[in-house]
Amino acid sequence: MSRVILAYIENNGVEVPKGSLSTIQAALLLKKAHNYSGLVGLLLGGDGTEEAAKKVAAFGLDEVLYVKNNLLKTYLATNYALAFKKVLETLAPTVVLALADTRGRDLMPRISQHLDAGQASDVIEFVDGGRFKRPMYAGNVLATVEITTARKVVTVRQSAFDVAKSGASECPIRELSIDISADSGMEFLSFDTVKSARPQLVEADRIVSGGVSLKSKENFEKYIVALADVLGAAVGASRAAVDAEYAPNDWQVGQTGKIVAPKLYIAVGISGAIQHIAGMKSSKTIVAINKDPEAPIFDVADYGLVADLYQAVPELISVLTASKS
């Protein structure tokens, strides 16, 4: 068995999301930290996959493989797992690595079971001796773990790794012809998504989040969304705000929502529950606005403003708008 890492790189047609570049960066760090001999990227998809493979060829990988098949045009776990297993019949990597997002959490356990491999999930650092560091108990504990099986499956937390930077040269690209026509028992019918001009929450450089202190959906729109509009930011929410139906579920930031690490995170009216902090504390700069000076959010904030959000936010919007004009 070769000491090679196989990194699964997600693509949306020709598009390569920011998270995929973080996946590559994590794989590059793993290769160096644990002294692996090779790093191969794998893309699965329908039309546009070849173009996406070309895009990632300049980011330091040793080789890029791609599988293009109409059955992979839309993500279905059974079809993707079948294609992945076929790839593993021709390639025998020591480590399979993927992003710890919705798809990675769905797909990688299937690959782990297929390989009879141990899995380390949500890894944030590669430690000497072939070990991995990962958060536990809402991020209150950082555990160092070791996978004792010969083959290993690893998922990495996007917020813990920067995006890979492209270099001057490109690695070889190769298409794999794989038959995945077997009936998986599942059929794709439709995909309903909310279209928005805002940046996606997990990929945004700036996020404005609101808490249950907004008291209503109308206030959330009036204060949080308005501030995000001025900043060109994504909108997030605490679990309490989502539970109160002030904001949709896909805006939730936290351990049971999305894990984010933007350059700027503004928390408005958020007290700082453990599960929320676990999802945003890796942000580069954290600004907290809360009228309670004892709110736990101030423990992780770089800048804190003890003030009534109903006064502070309109003033902030006014100043930002004036500065832009």
Side-chain angles (χ1 to χ4, degrees):
M1 183 168 57
S2 59
R3 281 187 57 79
V4 170
I5 301 167
L6 180 64
Y8 170 54
I9 301 168
E10 296 182 26
N11 65 294
N12 300 316
V14 299
E15 299 299 325
V16 178
K18 185 178 175 182
S20 292
L21 300 183
S22 295
T23 305
I24 294 173
Q25 179 65 14
L28 290 168
L29 292 174
L30 172 60
K31 179 186 176 185
K32 182 178 181 181
H34 292 183
N35 195 30
Y36 285 97
S37 59
L39 171 56
V40 178
L42 173 66
L43 291 87
L44 307 174
D47 293 339
T49 303
E50 181 178 1
E51 287 74 15
K54 292 177 181 176
K55 288 183 178 180
V56 302
F59 286 89
L61 299 165
D62 297 313
E63 186 180 19
V64 175
L65 306 178
Y66 71 93
V67 178
K68 186 171 68 174
N69 189 300
N70 282 337
L71 290 175
L72 303 175
K73 184 177 180 180
T74 306
Y75 177 75
L76 278 179
T78 49
N79 288 344
Y80 268 63
L82 182 58
F84 218 111
K85 292 172 186 175
K86 295 281 187 179
V87 171
L88 294 173
E89 290 176 2
T90 60
L91 192 72
T94 308
V95 178
V96 176
L97 182 146
L99 196 64
D101 60 354
T102 303
R103 187 176 300 188
R105 293 188 181 100
D106 186 35
L107 181 60
M108 286 302 110
R110 301 168 192 267
I111 304 307
S112 177
Q113 186 273 335
H114 173 71
L115 293 174
D116 196 22
Q119 176 170 335
S121 303
D122 227 12
V123 168
I124 61 171
E125 185 179 344
F126 307 111
V127 185
D128 291 344
R131 295 173 292 175
F132 308 89
K133 186 173 289 186
R134 60 180 299 269
M136 298 173 63
Y137 303 109
N140 289 317
V141 174
L142 292 179
T144 299
V145 300
E146 181 178 1
I147 302 174
T148 57
T149 53
R151 284 183 160 182
K152 312 172 197 300
V153 174
V154 177
T155 62
V156 295
R157 178 176 287 193
Q158 178 179 345
S159 61
F161 299 94
D162 294 330
V163 296
K165 298 186 185 306
S166 61
S169 60
E170 296 184 355
C171 68
I173 301 170
R174 180 159 54 105
E175 181 178 9
L176 295 180
S177 298
I178 289 176
D179 178 16
I180 55 169
S181 59
D183 184 6
S184 67
M186 297 178 67
E187 179 183 2
F188 174 77
L189 297 179
S190 65
F191 182 64
D192 295 325
T193 184
V194 178
K195 295 183 179 179
S196 172
R198 297 185 185 282
Q200 290 191 21
L201 198 54
V202 296
E203 303 200 344
D205 287 333
R206 287 168 283 190
I207 296 174
V208 179
S209 277
V212 74
S213 299
L214 273 299
K215 298 181 180 178
S216 70
K217 183 177 181 179
E218 290 72 23
N219 282 343
F220 202 96
E221 188 78 23
K222 180 179 179 181
Y223 294 95
I224 303 302
V225 175
L227 179 56
D229 285 343
V230 174
L231 290 169
V235 179
S238 68
R239 188 176 68 180
V242 171
D243 288 346
E245 300 185 349
Y246 300 165
N249 183 266
D250 61 342
W251 286 3
Q252 184 178 326
V253 173
Q255 187 184 19
T256 54
K258 293 188 170 68
I259 307 295
V260 300
K263 293 179 180 176
L264 174 63
Y265 188 90
I266 302 178
V268 181
I270 294 177
S271 62
I274 291 174
Q275 80 88 24
H276 183 79
I277 289 177
M280 46 66 74
K281 66 180 181 182
S282 297
S283 303
K284 302 299 183 289
T285 301
I286 299 172
V287 177
I289 301 174
N290 199 299
K291 66 180 180 180
D292 178 7
E294 304 298 325
I297 191 71
F298 289 121
D299 293 338
V300 298
D302 299 287
Y303 300 94
L305 176 62
V306 180
D308 187 333
L309 72 90
Y310 298 106
Q311 295 180 1
V313 173
E315 290 178 10
L316 185 56
I317 292 173
S318 178
V319 170
L320 290 170
T321 303
S323 66
K324 292 176 71 174
S325 62

